Amino acid sequence: MTAPARRVSSRLAAIAPSATLAVDSKAKALKAAGRPVIGFGAGEPDFPTPDYIVEAAVAAAREPRNHRYTPAGGLPELKEAIAAKTLRDSGYEIDPASVLVTNGGKQAVFQAFAAIVDPGDEVLLPAPYWTTYPEAIALAGGTPVEVFAGADQDYLVTVEQLEAARTENTKALLFCSPSNPTGAVYSPEQTKAIGEWALEHGIWVITDEIYEHLLYDGAEFSPIVRLVPELADQTIVLNGVAKTFAMTGWRVGWMISPADVTKAASNFQSHLTSNVANVSQRAAIAALTGPLDAVYEMREAFDRRRRTMVSMLREIDGVVCPTPRGAFYAYPSVEGLIGHTIRGREISSSADLASVILDEAEVAVVPGEAFGPSGFMRLSYALGDDDLAEGVGRIQSLLAE
Ligand SMILES: Cc1ncc(COP(=O)(O)O)c(C=O)c1O
C-alpha cells in the first residue's frame, strides 16, 4: 500500500498558530456571545490613531498616484522619513537605500531571518521571547536556541549566558528591548556588552526596536548600532509604526540592513507582497515626520496602568511580578501557583491557570507557554483603566479563594 499523499507541506504543518492572537480571538468570541470578558491578550494600544495621521491617509486615498503600484521596497519619501527618524531617535545616520518598508514589523521579522539564515544555522533567542520569532527562524531553516532569563534576573540575559550557548553554527542573535513579552529593558551598558560580544564573534544581531518609545521609570532606549557602530554591517534593525502611534491595523513596518541583505530581502518581497498599501505608507510618513506629543500622552496612560497592574498583581499570593520598564506588558511568574487546585481544577502549568482564569473569571491572559517556558502569564496593560482594574480584580478574587 502506498502512503497517503501529504496535503500540507511539512514546513507549514510545523507552524503553530499565534497563541496571542488565539487568546484574543477566543476572548472576542466570548464577548460577542454576550459574556463580560476582559482581554489582556492583545498587544495593541486601545487608542485611535492620532488625527493628523488619519487626515494624511484620507488625503492620500483621494490621490490617484496612490491607487497604483509603487516601488516594492517602499515610497522614497517614507524611506527618507525613516532615515530622518532614525537619526532623531537612535542618534546615527543611515542611507535611505538601506531601508525596506514591510507589511508591519512581522513581515520584517520573517524577511530578516529569510535573508540571513540557512539550514543548520542556529539563532540565539533570549527567552521569554515573542511568539513569532521561533516560527520565523524555523521557516528559514534555522534552529532557535533558547537562552532563558527568569524573573530572578529581570528577564535579561547576560553575555555569559549567550557565550555558553554559542557554537560554531551560531549565525545570529535576536535582541528585543524593550521586550515583548516581559517589558524588560536592557541598559546601555548591557546592550553595549552584548553588541561587542556579537561583533567579536561575527554574530549577526537582529534587533527589534518596535517598542523604542514606550519606556518608563527613566529607562533609556539603547540602539545597539549607536552603542557599537561597527556592528552596523552585521545588524538588521526591525521597527514599525504599530505600537508607537497606535497603528496596528495600518500594517507598516521596516527593516534597516546592510546593502546586500536589503537587496535580497527586497527581491523576496517583490515576489511576495510588493509595496505596502500606499495610503498606509503616506500615513506612516505623517507619523514619522510629525511631533511625538500624542505618543507621550499615550505613554503616560500606559505608565499609569502599568503601576496599577503591577501593584495589584503583587498582592496575589504565589505571584512574583518584576517591574516592567518598557512596552505595555506585565510578565508575572506564577510558579508559586503551580500544584494548587482552583475551583476543583488542578493547576499543573501556566496554560492550565490561564484556562481556569478565562473560564472562571472571564479574563483572558496569555500563558507563558506561548513565549517559552511554562510558569508565567503575559498581561497587556494597553486597555482602559476601568477594565484593567476590574480584570485584575477578578483574578485576585479567584486566586484568593
Ligand atoms: C516585539 C514585536 N515585534 C514586532 C511586532 C510586529 O508588529 P506589527 O507587525 O504589527 O508591525 C510585534 C507585535 O506584536 C512585537 O511585539
Side-chain angles (χ1 to χ4, degrees):
M1 226 173 68
T2 52
R6 200 200 324 265
R7 289 168 59 82
V8 173
S9 69
S10 45
R11 259 183 324 140
L12 294 208
I15 298 178
S18 161
T20 49
L21 293 185
V23 168
D24 191 47
S25 58
K26 190 167 173 193
K28 282 182 177 145
L30 285 168
K31 227 175 186 166
R35 303 304 315 165
V37 171
I38 293 180
F40 290 111
E44 64 180 343
D46 60 323
F47 299 104
T49 302
D51 277 348
Y52 62 96
I53 300 173
V54 176
E55 290 310 324
V58 170
R62 295 210 166 90
E63 281 186 67
R65 67 177 174 151
N66 295 320
H67 304 169
R68 312 274 176 249
Y69 289 129
T70 51
L75 294 173
E77 301 94 308
L78 178 52
K79 291 186 180 191
E80 296 278 350
I82 290 167
K85 167 252 173 285
T86 302
L87 183 59
R88 178 193 68 190
D89 299 333
S90 300
Y92 61 93
E93 287 191 25
I94 59 155
D95 180 352
S98 65
V99 176
L100 172 58
V101 178
T102 58
N103 281 276
K106 250 180 198 173
Q107 188 175 14
V109 171
F110 269 84
Q111 290 180 178
F113 288 115
I116 63 163
V117 169
D118 271 320
D121 288 344
E122 294 173 359
V123 179
L124 298 182
L125 183 58
Y129 48 77
W130 180 42
T131 186
T132 290
Y133 300 136
E135 302 295 351
I137 295 165
L139 201 59
T143 306
V145 175
E146 291 181 32
V147 181
F148 179 72
D152 55 331
Q153 52 186 102
D154 284 334
Y155 305 119
L156 297 168
V157 297
T158 61
V159 168
E160 292 68 35
Q161 286 181 286
L162 295 174
E163 178 58 17
R166 184 174 66 85
T167 72
E168 58 183 16
N169 296 322
T170 305
K171 177 72 187 259
L173 163 72
L174 186 287
F175 187 71
C176 180
S177 175
S179 155
N180 175 6
T182 64
V185 180
Y186 286 84
S187 69
E189 295 72 28
Q190 289 163 325
T191 305
K192 189 162 191 272
I194 289 173
E196 284 171 347
W197 166 85
L199 183 69
E200 180 189 343
H201 298 290
I203 293 170
W204 282 78
V205 176
I206 297 181
T207 173
D208 189 335
E209 302 183 346
I210 204 158
Y211 293 100
E212 65 183 327
H213 287 291
L214 300 178
L215 291 159
Y216 319 101
D217 291 346
E220 256 180 87
F221 170 52
S222 307
I224 199 162
V225 171
R226 176 164 57 76
L227 296 166
V228 187
E230 310 90 302
L231 202 60
D233 198 43
Q234 61 195 66
T235 298
I236 304 178
V237 178
L238 310 178
N239 209 329
V241 293
K243 316 289 175 172
T244 302
F245 299 98
M247 290 179 73
T248 45
W250 297 78
R251 312 310 303 137
V252 182
W254 60 87
M255 52 187 275
I256 302 168
S257 44
D260 50 350
V261 171
T262 305
K263 184 163 182 285
S266 300
N267 291 345
F268 181 39
Q269 182 169 312
S270 75
H271 294 293
L272 191 67
T273 53
S274 299
N275 63 278
V276 172
N278 295 316
V279 169
S280 289
Q281 290 198 67
R282 299 266 171 218
I285 293 171
L288 298 179
T289 57
L292 287 169
D293 308 61
V295 177
Y296 296 140
E297 263 172 55
M298 290 190 267
R299 185 173 69 181
E300 221 175 281
F302 293 144
D303 188 18
R304 185 179 64 239
R305 297 163 183 181
R306 174 184 72 105
R307 283 182 270 115
T308 306
M309 177 177 271
V310 170
S311 68
M312 288 181 78
L313 287 170
R314 284 184 177 160
E315 287 165 12
I316 304 173
D317 275 348
V319 169
V320 174
C321 189
T323 304
R325 298 168 71 228
F328 37 58
Y329 308 101
Y331 204 72
S333 160
V334 292
E335 281 165 306
L337 295 167
I338 310 296
H340 287 207
T341 300
I342 300 172
R343 301 230 175 135
R345 286 163 68 176
E346 186 165 336
I347 305 301
S348 54
S349 65
S350 46
D352 287 350
L353 183 64
S355 155
V356 170
I357 290 174
L358 183 58
D359 295 342
E360 303 293 334
E362 300 195 300
V363 173
V365 301
V366 189
E369 284 83 345
F371 312 104
S374 179
F376 304 88
M377 297 194 307
R378 190 191 78 172
L379 294 89
S380 162
Y381 47 83
L383 78 173
D385 298 69
D386 294 345
D387 276 357
L388 186 146
E390 163 72 20
V392 186
R394 283 192 211 165
I395 300 176
Q396 282 182 327
S397 312
L398 177 68
L399 300 183
E401 282 178 9

